[in-house]
């Protein structure tokens, strides 16, 4: 395929919940001058809207209506990073018409990243579950970030206990286990690495190591900084 050299650089970052995608994506966006879209926040916002209206996230009509009318500016002041909203997000994300309603927005962000045409950014980083497989199958670079369930649960627990001090670690482990099963087991756009994705296991790595390894992977794909014969 002939790639347009003036097209935005797109980095797709996929992986299970709490694997470290958000932190890595923000760091990559900063490093390479890219816009950033946390696509999980769209599904979280849909989950929040349904719950806020007293609805049921399993109700496909209610969830689809919320996705079609999504207004992220109205959500900003609300805390959508709670365990309850994460659960609702994972439930609405399994509904095909919800995914369809959010697809154009994500593709449009990748095709026309904010401030790209003014030359302020060179492209975009999108993180989620299906960026490399469905949203941006032609992404310049695809990273698939994984980590052991226990390690992810510990990281998420540390984040969540800042809001809910009494939250038991076991509950977070169980919650993530269910979320993994739902995100990977759904029929539409399940969580799975694209065949051309670079897989990075962050279980035993610090965030600095994850960022450094990812930058090496991205540089290699972009054809920068690699000397002949370099392998890692
Ligand atoms: O990354 P997160 O925890 O904020 O995502 C919340 C839920 O949204 C997640 O359980 C699955 C869903 N999601 C998805 O299905 N596809 C995406 N591209 C991003 C998130």
């Amino acid at each position: 395929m002939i790639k347009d050299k003036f097209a935005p650089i797109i980095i797709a970052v996929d992986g299970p919940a709490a694997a470290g995608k958000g932190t890595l994506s923000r760091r990559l966006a900063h490093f390479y001058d890219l816009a950033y879209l946390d696509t999980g926040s769209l599904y979280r916002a849909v989950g929040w809207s349904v719950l806020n209206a007293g609805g049921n996230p399993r109700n496909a009509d209610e969830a689809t209506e919320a996705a079609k009318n999504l207004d992220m500016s109205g959500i900003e002041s609300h805390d959508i990073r709670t365990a309850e909203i994460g659960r609702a997000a994972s439930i609405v994300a399994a509904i095909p018409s919800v995914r369809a309603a959010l697809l154009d927005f994500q593709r449009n962000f990748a095709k026309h990243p904010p401030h790209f045409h003014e030359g302020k950014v060179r492209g975009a980083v999108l993180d989620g579950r299906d960026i490399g497989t469905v949203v941006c199958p032609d992404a310049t670079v695809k990273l698939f970030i994984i980590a052991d369930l226990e390690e992810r649960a510990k990281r998420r627990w540390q984040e969540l206990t800042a809001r809910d001090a009494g939250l038991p670690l076991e509950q977070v482990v169980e919650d993530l286990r269910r979320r993994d099963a739902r995100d990977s087991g759904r029929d539409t756009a399940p969580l799975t690495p694209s065949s051309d994705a670079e897989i990075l296991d962050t279980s035993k790595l610090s965030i600095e190591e994850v960022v450094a390894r990812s930058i090496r992977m991205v540089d290699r794909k972009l054809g920068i900084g690699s000397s002949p014969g370099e392998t890692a």
Side-chain angles (χ1 to χ4, degrees):
M1 186 191 311
I2 298 168
K3 297 232 176 190
D4 176 359
K5 69 175 179 171
F6 299 112
I9 293 169
I10 300 300
I11 303 181
V13 180
D14 289 304
K21 302 184 298 296
T23 310
L24 172 63
S25 299
R26 271 187 291 273
R27 293 281 295 267
L28 290 176
H30 182 71
F31 187 83
Y32 290 103
D33 285 328
L34 304 169
Y36 168 52
L37 180 64
D38 163 11
T39 66
S41 70
L42 305 176
Y43 292 93
R44 283 176 181 268
V46 173
W48 178 86
S49 301
V50 174
L51 292 178
N52 191 47
N56 177 357
R58 292 181 196 282
N59 183 311
D61 292 338
E62 288 173 7
T64 307
E65 216 34 48
K68 284 184 175 161
N69 296 313
L70 193 61
D71 173 13
M72 290 304 283
S73 60
I75 305 277
E76 269 160 17
S77 56
H78 299 281
D79 187 2
I80 58 171
R81 307 231 50 94
T82 64
E84 186 195 15
I85 303 296
R87 221 171 294 133
S90 169
I91 292 170
V92 299
I95 301 170
S97 48
V98 168
R99 303 199 73 82
L102 299 181
L103 192 55
D104 279 353
F105 177 81
Q106 298 172 78
R107 285 200 173 142
N108 198 44
F109 188 97
K111 220 169 161 190
H112 307 286
H115 308 300
F116 177 71
H117 289 291
E118 297 131 59
K120 290 189 182 154
V121 299
R122 301 164 65 210
V125 183
L126 286 84
D127 82 22
R129 303 293 188 286
D130 61 340
I131 308 303
T133 50
V134 176
V135 179
C136 303
D138 294 332
T140 327
V141 188
K142 298 178 184 177
L143 303 176
F144 196 84
I145 309 302
I146 55 172
D148 298 342
L149 174 66
E150 281 69 26
E151 185 53 42
R152 289 188 284 125
K154 243 186 276 162
R155 295 176 190 167
R156 184 51 56 90
W157 179 75
Q158 272 163 3
E159 234 175 78
L160 292 172
T161 45
R163 299 181 176 92
D164 176 4
L167 185 68
L169 176 62
E170 297 69 39
Q171 191 179 318
V172 180
V173 174
E174 203 34 52
D175 224 47
L176 282 187
R177 199 193 303 280
R178 284 214 194 102
R179 213 128 75 81
D180 283 354
R182 201 157 36 220
D183 294 347
S184 305
R186 67 183 177 222
D187 292 332
T188 310
L191 170 68
T192 183
S194 170
S195 58
D196 52 351
E198 304 260 8
I199 298 181
L200 183 60
D201 186 343
T202 71
S203 307
K204 297 190 169 61
L205 300 179
S206 70
I207 180 63
E208 294 309 325
E209 288 168 318
V210 173
V211 171
R213 284 189 196 206
S214 300
I215 286 177
R216 281 206 295 275
M217 289 173 173
V218 174
D219 276 357
R220 217 184 306 135
K221 283 273 178 187
L222 296 179
I224 8 181
S226 54
S227 52
E230 189 180 21
T231 53

